[in-house]
Amino acid sequence: DGGITQSPKYLFRKEGQNVTLSCEQNLNHDAMYWYRQDPGQGLRLIYYSQIVNDFQKGDIAEGYSVSREKKESFPLTVTSAQKNPTAFYLCASSSEFSFSSYEQYFGPGTRLTVT
Amino acid sequence: AQTVTQSQPEMSVQEAETVTLSCTYDTSESDYYLFWYKQPPSRQMILVIRQEAYKQQNATENRFSVNFQKAAKSFSLKISDSQLGDAAMYFCAYRSVSTASKLTFGTGTRLQVTL
């Protein structure tokens, strides 16, 4: 089955600790994305990557970092510099070279709680 | 910058009835894509329907259809014969063709389906 996996589903951390959220896809998609979702708000883009070894900041990149060493993987690190890290995090991917499908496919998400 | 507005935080519909969710967007571009995503209680984002701006014909997927008014920058979603499984958050999203592949989301509409 092709799809996007995110692990873990729930993550708890103490304030001041860095934490890394995993995102893996086997859809052979070129582009991958990280979004943050807070209550009452839509999804906000944190980082995105259109190709291996390259990524760009989204709208709310401060306090986050990413890497894209493999096409299949796009891990997100929430650093201690992120002032309000408790949120629901969604990873997505899309095929940028398919003219019939620019839609993004989403993983099941990770709920991060920092206390 | 593009913005997407969903002015209905919550909507309610009776089973088997029809409901329309509103979405407006602001852009200076002429070519773009619009999407409706559904997020059920599981929080998995699911693509409902897609519309290419260059197409005048409104997209349809089974019980879901859109009313795309390009001049008015309006993109509403109509759900016919509503079912209990349609209860979810619905997000409208915009994607530019000319710039990077990011999606801009609205704040969502929570749809309740009653018996």
Side-chain angles (χ1 to χ4, degrees):
Chain A
D1 273 332
I4 303 174
T5 57
Q6 290 185 244
S7 60
K9 188 171 183 178
Y10 298 96
L11 191 53
F12 298 88
R13 279 293 183 269
K14 294 288 188 185
E15 195 173 324
Q17 293 179 336
N18 291 355
V19 60
T20 297
L21 282 60
S22 167
C23 178
E24 304 277 333
Q25 56 99 358
N26 62 3
L27 300 167
N28 198 32
H29 284 169
D30 305 288
M32 297 186 73
Y33 315 81
W34 275 105
Y35 293 91
R36 171 181 171 137
Q37 186 176 22
D38 295 285
Q41 300 194 40
L43 280 66
R44 293 183 291 166
L45 183 65
I46 304 172
Y47 268 97
Y48 64 101
S49 167
Q50 294 180 288
I51 198 167
V52 174
N53 292 323
D54 187 45
F55 47 83
Q56 288 79 40
K57 293 181 179 179
D59 300 318
I60 54 166
E62 186 176 349
Y64 299 97
S65 66
V66 293
S67 63
R68 185 87 186 276
E69 296 177 1
K70 298 187 299 182
K71 187 175 184 178
E72 302 79 18
S73 179
F74 191 41
L76 173 74
T77 297
V78 185
T79 74
S80 56
Q82 168 51 231
K83 292 186 179 2
N84 186 17
T86 294
F88 187 65
Y89 291 87
L90 284 157
C91 179
S93 70
S94 68
S95 174
E96 293 301 291
F97 300 104
S98 168
F99 292 100
S100 64
S101 58
Y102 279 112
E103 62 262 31
Q104 294 183 11
Y105 295 81
F106 286 82
T110 292
R111 171 68 184 177
L112 173 64
T113 302
V114 177
T115 56
Chain B
Q2 293 84 15
T3 58
V4 177
T5 301
Q6 293 179 250
S7 59
Q8 306 155 315
E10 291 190 14
M11 293 281 286
S12 183
V13 63
Q14 281 193 320
E15 200 177 16
E17 297 296 309
T18 296
V19 64
T20 298
L21 308 184
S22 301
C23 173
T24 59
Y25 57 95
D26 186 26
T27 183
S28 58
E29 299 176 323
S30 60
D31 202 10
Y32 47 87
Y33 294 85
L34 295 164
F35 306 90
W36 278 100
Y37 280 89
K38 170 185 177 180
Q39 188 180 43
S42 67
R43 304 197 78 172
Q44 174 77 54
M45 294 285 283
I46 303 164
L47 178 69
V48 175
I49 200 164
R50 172 183 75 233
Q51 175 79 44
E52 292 89 343
Y54 64 86
K55 290 186 177 178
Q56 292 188 336
Q57 187 172 7
N58 289 323
T60 299
E61 289 286 343
N62 300 313
R63 297 182 296 106
F64 298 88
S65 62
V66 299
N67 183 4
F68 174 49
Q69 302 288 329
K70 190 172 184 180
K73 297 179 183 174
S74 171
F75 182 60
S76 61
L77 174 69
K78 185 171 84 170
I79 306 174
S80 303
D81 186 26
S82 296
Q83 301 174 359
L84 294 177
D86 295 333
M89 282 290 287
Y90 286 82
F91 292 96
C92 178
Y94 171 102
R95 184 205 190 280
S96 167
V97 171
S98 60
T99 59
S101 51
K102 57 179 283 187
L103 283 176
T104 301
F105 285 86
T107 52
T109 296
R110 181 173 302 280
L111 178 66
Q112 292 184 322
V113 181
T114 59
L115 294 170

